[in-house]
Amino acid sequence: MFDEHGHLREAKTKSNLKNALKVEISERKIDKMIDTKFLDGCAVLWVITWPTNGKVHDFLNAFRRNITRHLQSCDVYLVFDR
């Protein structure tokens, strides 16, 4: 994400970042505590279930609950790329 001088690199494609962040083993098989999570903000918006008879406010509350759940165990960086 940053070059050796600390300047932000402009990503040409998502695959560069994806390959840099990929893991070799599943998170479930790691015994140590995870200290940081990077969440794709756009993907999080898609996985939150819209309340059947709810309003946008209800969706936002569900989004906050989802992020808060992650924050209870580690630092979270929510990244929106669009």
Side-chain angles (χ1 to χ4, degrees):
M1 292 177 61
F2 299 92
D3 66 15
E4 60 276 0
H5 304 291
H7 298 105
L8 181 64
R9 293 183 183 184
E10 292 186 33
K12 304 280 190 256
T13 63
K14 278 189 180 181
S15 62
N16 292 341
L17 178 60
K18 179 181 170 188
N19 288 332
L21 296 176
K22 73 180 179 180
V23 296
E24 299 296 327
I25 60 173
S26 171
E27 181 178 315
R28 294 175 299 209
K29 297 186 179 197
I30 298 175
D31 292 333
K32 64 181 181 178
M33 186 75 165
I34 296 172
D35 59 359
T36 305
K37 287 184 183 179
F38 289 86
L39 300 178
D40 180 340
C42 294
V44 172
L45 291 174
W46 279 99
V47 299
I48 303 295
T49 304
W50 275 91
T52 306
N53 295 322
K55 298 181 180 177
V56 173
H57 178 74
D58 299 318
F59 178 78
L60 292 175
N61 285 338
F63 179 81
R64 285 187 194 109
R65 281 192 303 272
N66 181 284
I67 300 303
T68 301
R69 182 176 46 86
H70 289 287
L71 284 168
Q72 291 174 354
S73 61
C74 63
D75 292 335
V76 175
Y77 292 89
L78 186 61
V79 180
F80 290 91
D81 61 352
R82 293 191 179 129

